[in-house]
Amino acid sequence: MTQNFAGAPEVQTLLDRLSGQDQAAGDARLKAIVRRIVGDLFVTIDEFAITDDEFWAALNYASAGAAEYGLWAAGLGVEHYLDLRADAADADAGVTGGTPRTIEGPLYVAGAPESEGFARLDDGADDGKGDILIMHGQVRDRDGTPVKGAKVEVWHANTLGNYSWFDQSQSAFNLRRSIITDSDGRYAFRSIVPVGYACPPGGSTEGILKGIGRHGNRPAHIHFFVSSEGHRHLTTQINIDGDPYLHDDFAYATRDELIPPVNHVRNSNLGTKYGVEGPFAEIEFDFVLHPAARESEEDASSRLRVAA
Ligand code: MBD
Ligand code: FE
């Protein structure tokens, strides 16, 4: 048998038929995509002489591990690839500046409590386990004008690297809030410094990563959606500087512009302002939004999300 068995005329005819090419009904683009994906699978089966047992084992593995597909997308770099494509499209269109995008990840939960200007994110359960964090900054447009009334949605892990809702031991919406910027475009929050995430032990993502000699760790990070009418929706994260995985993120989300300095503050007016008496970590970070070229750019992707 030739190694390029998939290239044989009879197989090409099969690909045409299985992708509906000879049918009037159906969507032409979908037919082309199905033909490509199944055809590439055939080539892969040829190239690696995949056995029947291996194929069915893979199918069963993917079926049983489907609950983690969001993690697969992150860990196999597909989510980052979509960012790279969006960056390249911006570059082609001459769109520059603005806070860099980086992946959303699979752990956002809609419906977090909303407040004006400031929020405390943590419920106090991690008091004494990690450092208190005060993060603050301004949302501006690309011309430097403050954006008042912008929505800053923030979510991050606790001191064990776990996210509320997915970790049912945490209180509802712990470490998740929506903050509306004040008249000067400013937001601030008090929280605890998060710890990096690790893929669930024994899960399907970890299984793949182990098989290819990789780990499933992320450096400590804080997620943001920043949105405002007339501006392009921003999905991004900041990393906590100094984390051992800072430049070894299993999801490839770290970007140089998204590693603000962490100031270790003993006491200051800022702490007093937000009710923190002892030492805390301070991060100042401004978000710069692009103008929306069309209304659809004001919204996040239509990805399916948990709504609690
Ligand atoms: C996370 O916290 C995360 O941000 C991503 C991208 C993947 C898994 C866990
Ligand atoms: Fe995360």
Side-chain angles (χ1 to χ4, degrees), residues 45-265:
I45 290 171
D46 280 354
E47 185 176 343
F48 297 95
I50 305 281
T51 66
D52 289 19
D53 286 350
E54 286 173 328
F55 174 75
W56 295 114
L59 190 89
N60 290 337
Y61 190 89
S63 305
E68 289 191 14
Y69 279 178
L71 275 183
W72 291 29
L76 297 177
V78 182
E79 205 176 353
H80 181 57
Y81 182 64
L82 296 178
D83 279 347
L84 294 177
R85 279 183 53 83
D87 291 349
D90 277 350
D92 286 351
V95 174
T96 56
T99 301
R101 62 171 60 82
T102 198
I103 68 169
E104 172 182 337
L107 305 178
Y108 172 86
V109 175
E114 192 174 295
S115 58
E116 305 280 328
F118 172 83
R120 180 170 175 176
L121 273 53
D122 67 299
D123 62 5
D126 275 2
D127 275 357
K129 292 181 198 156
D131 292 332
I132 293 173
L133 169 68
I134 296 179
M135 179 163 169
H136 60 105
Q138 189 178 42
V139 179
R140 291 189 298 270
D141 69 15
R142 244 172 25 199
D143 300 327
T145 307
V147 182
K148 67 175 180 200
K151 187 192 273 195
V152 177
E153 295 177 80
V154 50
W155 71 102
H156 68 77
N158 67 3
T159 54
L160 295 173
N162 296 326
Y163 285 76
S164 66
W165 197 91
F166 301 93
D167 169 16
Q168 288 284 326
S169 77
Q170 294 183 47
S171 62
F173 293 112
N174 190 37
L175 310 176
R176 302 177 183 276
R177 288 293 184 278
S178 289
I179 303 164
I180 308 299
T181 57
D182 68 14
S183 57
D184 201 22
R186 299 200 162 271
Y187 77 91
F189 63 83
R190 171 189 170 163
S191 194
I192 47 112
V193 177
V195 163
Y197 171 94
C199 288
S204 63
T205 313
E206 191 198 57
I208 294 170
L209 295 174
K210 272 199 174 143
I212 55 180
R214 292 180 49 201
H215 65 70
N217 297 296
R218 297 211 60 209
H221 60 279
I222 301 176
H223 296 267
F224 297 94
F225 280 168
V226 187
S227 57
S228 159
E229 212 183 307
H231 300 93
R232 188 200 268 186
H233 177 98
L234 172 67
T235 300
T236 196
Q237 309 177 23
I238 59 121
N239 283 108
I240 307 297
D241 198 9
D243 190 289
Y245 289 104
L246 188 59
H247 296 292
D248 191 16
D249 178 8
F250 99 103
Y252 309 101
T254 306
R255 309 200 116 169
D256 289 342
E257 305 90 330
L258 302 175
I259 312 171
V262 181
N263 306 314
H264 295 281
V265 182

Side-chain angles (χ1 to χ4, degrees), residues 267-304:
N267 47 51
S268 76
N269 293 339
L270 186 70
T272 309
K273 187 172 173 188
Y274 297 122
V276 179
E277 292 313 327
F280 62 90
E282 179 201 8
I283 295 175
E284 183 172 4
F285 192 81
D286 298 339
F287 297 97
V288 177
L289 301 180
H290 292 281
R294 60 197 81 81
E295 222 173 88
S296 60
E297 288 189 354
E298 295 178 11
D299 301 321
S301 74
S302 58
R303 169 180 193 157
L304 190 63

